[in-house]
Amino acid sequence: MPTAAQRQGNFTQTLNQVGQEVLVYDQTTTMPNPAKAGSNIRSPFPGNIIPASRMDPVALKLMTYYPQPNTAGNPLTQVNNYISNAPNGIDGTNANVRMDHSLSEKWRT
């Protein structure tokens, strides 16, 4: 689950598996990469924080339906920070089909 800081656009404590900061890039800064034709580059948000004015109000409303983390999770990445004991029912349908075909008296499948 997103941490409290991430819900506010602050990704300064978002790290990868080796402890390096995961940069969040500003899509409005997309420009052609002068070093590699056919590719683009972007600039990260200053301080790795998305300004509140750039956060989508619909996404912010949807975020209220996500549960808050209830455990620390991984010390670096903070993944697996939510544990639930809610029952997981299997919602599936199985179907079996049998077909018999008689090509001739000798060949039956």
Side-chain angles (χ1 to χ4, degrees):
M1 295 298 157
T3 65
Q6 290 168 344
R7 291 169 191 258
Q8 296 174 356
N10 184 339
F11 291 85
T12 57
Q13 298 301 312
T14 303
L15 308 175
N16 65 16
Q17 299 88 332
V18 294
Q20 299 168 329
E21 187 176 34
V22 176
L23 295 177
V24 179
Y25 293 89
D26 183 353
Q27 70 273 13
T28 64
T29 64
T30 304
M31 61 185 143
N33 185 349
K36 186 176 179 186
S39 65
N40 295 317
I41 55 175
R42 295 179 178 166
S43 300
F45 280 104
N48 218 26
I49 298 173
I50 301 172
S53 62
R54 297 281 304 278
M55 297 184 78
D56 181 52
V58 175
L60 292 172
K61 181 64 177 172
L62 286 172
M63 188 65 61
T64 64
Y65 293 98
Y66 282 53
Q68 296 288 333
N70 59 9
T71 186
N74 181 286
L76 291 176
T77 63
Q78 300 173 0
V79 296
N80 298 324
N81 63 2
Y82 181 76
I83 296 174
S84 173
N85 290 330
N88 291 331
I90 297 174
D91 186 17
T93 302
N94 293 326
N96 294 316
V97 176
R98 177 180 171 170
M99 296 178 61
D100 292 325
H101 184 71
S102 178
L103 299 171
S104 71
E105 284 295 318
K106 288 184 172 183
W107 292 91
R108 293 178 189 228
T109 58

